[in-house]
Structures are given as C-alpha cells and as structure tokens.
Amino acid sequence: PEEEEEEEAVAEDAADGEEPKPKVETRRFATLRVFVDKGEHLVVKDWSVMKSRRSSDPYVVVDVGGKVAGKTKVKSRTLAPEWGETFEAEVPEEALAETAVELRIWDKDVVGSDAMGVVQLSGRDFGASGEALWRDVEATDDCKDASGRLRIGAFLGPFVDRPINEKPQKKSWFGSKKKKKAPPQKKKKKAPPPTKKPATTPPAPAPAVVEMPETLPPIDVPAPRTYRSREGLSAAYFEARRRVRKTGALAWRSESLEPGELLALTAAASAIVLERPYKQKDVLDACAAVSAPGPPPSLTTSRKALAIARKDEARLPGVVLSGVPDDELDETAGARLGALISTGAAGALRFHSVPISWVCGRALALGLVAEGAEDALTDLVLDRCALGPGAVSSLLEAVMLRTTHRGRQGLMRLSLDGNALTCPTVVGQLGALIGGPAAPATLSLVSCRLPPVAAHVLAKGIDAQTALVPPRPPATLRVV
C-alpha cells in the first residue's frame, strides 16, 4: 500500500507539471539505553601502607558497537561507587543481535588512568524493561587482578527511521539565502609568450675567505633555574606532600628534598620509604628527621596550608629501605637505625634487598638491646638481605635478649625471607626463639635455605612454646 501511494503521488506531480520528488530511502534504528547503577568490591589501584587507605578513583566508559557512547563521573577514593547514569546510542535494527556493549572500568590518576576490568554484554542481554542486574567484572590484558561486580542494565527504546541517501545541507555563516550562480564565460585563448633571448649573466665573484680565530671566546651558559614557592619550597616538596596526604607514605630519593622539607614531611608520614638511588648519607638524614622533635617553625607558621599532621598519632612511623644502595651501609648506619628503636622514634624497620654486612648487623643488634624505656618495636623485616651467619646470629640474640633481659614485648612480625640460614648455630637460635618468651607473633622463613635438621629443631621449639607458663597465644610460622 505504501508503494502504491508513492506511485500515485508521483503521477499527480507529473499531471500538475511539477518534477517528481526523488524517493527517500530510510533505515530503521533502535534506541539502546545502557544504565550504569553502581559497583562493589572493585580492585585496589591506589596502594597505601595502611590497609584502610587503599582505594581507587573509578569511572566507567560505555562502548556500544565499537563507538564510545559516554562515560560516568569519577568517584574519588571508593571501591563501591554509585553512579546512577544512563547513556543512549542508536543501533541498526538488522545489526542489533550482533552488537556488543563493553563497560570498561578505569582508575583516574593525576596523569592517565589505570584499567580495572571490563563487563561485556551481548544482544541477548538487551531487555524491554529497565531492570538492572549484578554482573561480575572480567580481567583484561591491562588488569589481570580485576575483581568485584557492577549493577547495570541494557534495554531497548523506541525505533526510529533515518534517511540514508539525503545529503545534509551546509549552513552558511552569513545567512540561508542562496547566491545566484553567474553564467559561465567563454575562456579566451592566451597568446603565445614572446620568445626572449637568453641574457648573459656575469660570472659570480669568488666568496671571500673569512679567517677564524684560533681560540673562541667562552660562551656563558645559564644554569638551570629551580622553581620555588614564596616560602622557598621546591616542587618536589609539594609532590611528596600530596602523596603523604593520600597514602601516608613518604617515598623519596637521594638529594630530592632539602633537610627542612624532609623534617616537615617526616612529621606527618606514617612510613618513610627510601627508594633507589640512595646513599648512606640519605639513611642518616632519614634517621635524623625521624628522631627530630618536630618540623621547623618556618614550615608550620608561615602558611596554614603547609602544616600537615599524622592522622594516627599513637602509631610510630616505620622506616623502609628498598633496593641496593650506591655505597655499603657501615657501622654508623646500623647504630643510627638501632637508636631509632631504643629511643622509641620508630615502630618498624623493613629492609628489602638491602645487603647488610656483619658490622652493620652487629651495630643494629646493639641498638635493639640498648637501655631505653621508649622501645616499641613491632616489626623487623630483613628480606633478601644476604645476611651472613654472624649478622643473623647477632640479630636473633638481640631479639631474645630485649625480651628476657629488658622486659620488652615480643615482636609482632619477624621476617627473614630469602636468606641462607644453613649455620647450625643459627638454626638452634631459631628453635630457642620459637620456644621461648620472645617468640614473635609471626615468624616468616619463606624461600630460606635451611639444613635438613631444621625441621626437627623448629618442631621441637613449637612443642616447647605450648608448655610455657603462663601460656601464650600460638605463634604463626611461615616456611615455604
């Protein structure tokens, strides 16, 4: 019937003397609506030393048939975001069953974004109603540890017809009036150019020879300018302060901060992390900053925005050394680190892949058993530190003496992962530590080289621990 009506309209136009209008071909599209409600248990991308501060800044990008239909707002510092946003896209009716919808989750950073997984929908998931369902987040090549799920829904809206052969008219910036075309003019034949005789050019003069001086005057190269604020603070200070406020950890490298800036940031950080490259001088500066009574007055009274304070004042900061330093840590570095424990300035010492010699280990052990009523050490981590028999023996003896002779609490965690513990004396000390009152709550010996007799000695120490009077909570032993 529609074709007959079109033919009758064409016949009427021809009878009236008008030109028949061209037939407009249309294509049927379906309106696909994607509803992004909320998510939960998403993966952590903004890591922090404190577990309560680990979070992400997620947002979702909706992709319909390979084209971006829109993206949600960024929800800051949460693993259970709520968006409640709807996006629309038009899909051809014949390609509706093959259309795929991808909802990619991203973590917004200062520079760029990190992938957090994807949720995929196919044509059979499109419903007629707007009911949202929970769907698991799948891992991608950019995010292998994706977790959590999203509550989303995809449903079809009204169908519309769109012309496919009609060319859109270009809008003019100066109005919609059409300009009349001028009648075409006949092209005039150009007369052939007159022939010119080649002009004779005089020979070019020889270039003058410039004599260069034997010595050139020195060029003054300006030194690179260091940008500082009105208070004299560097850009590295403000970047480190932003990380301290977000994660609670102060991570810095050699010669990146001034001594005054380091003091101000250390007073607010819950962990001081030294990353490569760093030297022994940086370790001594970090120890001095941790043991200092407070930041300089110029950084706390000049502007209120510069003063930041540690949120958990009752918890002592920890010192973390990561990677091999440029020079070897000697007795001075070990004594300074041990003084942090005896004076109660630090509550944890963590060494990761830091070679510790016998001299440095002995100085650190003397600091553990030094007289001091403020000792509140809870964690001592010495992972992959290439400890020799002398250094390990000194440290284990100090851990036991600080409890039996100084009356201090046992450690919450003692980790010796990745070290060679093949000496019989060291194995015997491990058994005595587990079976005595100084046994730590968690003793980790993962990837350690142990002799065959170590299993018998450790088991004997565990039996001795159960017979202690008064009884103590059982210790956790990790050996893999």
Side-chain angles (χ1 to χ4, degrees), residues 134-465:
W134 286 102
R135 299 185 182 273
D136 295 334
V137 179
E138 302 176 3
T140 60
D141 295 339
D142 299 335
C143 182
K144 301 293 185 181
D145 56 346
S147 63
R149 56 180 184 170
L150 294 182
R151 188 172 185 268
I152 57 176
F155 54 96
L156 298 176
F159 287 81
V160 293
D161 295 331
R162 302 290 186 192
I164 60 177
N165 61 348
E166 183 178 357
K167 295 183 179 180
Q169 296 181 357
K170 295 183 179 180
K171 295 184 179 180
S172 174
W173 291 94
F174 305 100
S176 59
K177 294 183 179 180
K178 297 182 180 179
K179 295 183 179 180
K180 296 182 179 180
K181 295 183 179 180
Q185 298 179 358
K186 296 182 179 180
K187 295 183 180 180
K188 297 181 179 180
K189 295 184 179 180
K190 294 183 179 180
T195 57
K196 295 182 180 181
K197 296 182 179 180
T200 58
T201 56
V209 179
V210 181
E211 295 182 358
M212 298 295 293
E214 296 181 358
T215 58
L216 296 176
I219 301 175
D220 296 334
V221 179
R225 182 180 178 184
T226 57
Y227 294 91
R228 294 185 174 274
S229 66
R230 186 179 303 173
E231 293 79 12
L233 302 175
S234 62
Y237 169 81
F238 292 99
E239 178 64 21
R241 188 186 69 174
R242 184 187 65 81
R243 294 185 179 181
V244 170
R245 285 179 170 176
K246 188 174 183 179
T247 64
L250 170 60
W252 63 292
R253 294 177 175 85
S254 178
E255 300 179 357
S256 61
L257 296 173
E258 298 293 337
E261 298 173 344
L262 180 60
L263 282 176
L265 294 174
T266 304
S270 58
I272 294 85
V273 183
L274 271 73
E275 300 176 342
R276 292 194 63 189
Y278 68 94
K279 302 178 182 178
Q280 175 171 305
K281 178 180 178 301
D282 302 318
V283 178
L284 301 181
D285 292 343
C287 294
V290 173
S291 58
S298 60
L299 294 180
T300 56
T301 60
S302 59
R303 291 179 66 183
K304 294 182 179 180
L306 299 179
I308 52 179
R310 189 183 302 117
K311 294 183 178 180
D312 191 0
E313 294 290 346
R315 184 175 181 180
L316 295 176
V319 178
V320 183
L321 304 183
S322 178
V324 181
D326 293 344
D327 50 359
E328 184 179 358
L329 301 182
D330 58 7
E331 185 178 1
T332 305
R336 291 288 184 87
L337 292 170
L340 294 180
I341 305 304
S342 60
T343 57
L349 288 180
R350 298 182 178 90
F351 300 85
H352 301 284
S353 302
V354 182
I356 298 179
S357 61
W358 176 75
V359 177
C360 180
R362 183 185 62 178
L364 179 60
L366 292 176
L368 294 177
V369 296
E371 295 183 0
E374 303 295 334
D375 182 6
L377 181 65
T378 58
D379 294 358
L380 180 59
V381 178
L382 302 167
D383 293 344
R384 300 179 299 279
C385 292
L387 295 171
V392 178
S393 180
S394 301
L395 292 171
L396 291 177
E397 190 71 19
V399 170
M400 290 186 288
L401 290 177
R402 68 185 296 273
T403 300
T404 56
H405 289 68
R406 300 299 183 192
R408 298 165 187 166
Q409 294 292 334
L411 298 177
M412 295 299 297
R413 181 188 179 192
L414 175 60
S415 177
L416 300 173
D417 297 345
N419 294 291
L421 308 178
T422 56
C423 179
T425 303
V426 174
V427 176
Q429 287 178 323
L430 288 174
L433 175 64
I434 296 175
T442 301
L443 175 60
S444 181
L445 302 175
V446 178
S447 302
C448 289
R449 293 176 56 189
L450 297 170
V453 72
H456 174 72
V457 175
L458 296 178
K460 189 175 180 180
I462 295 175
D463 293 340
Q465 186 190 27

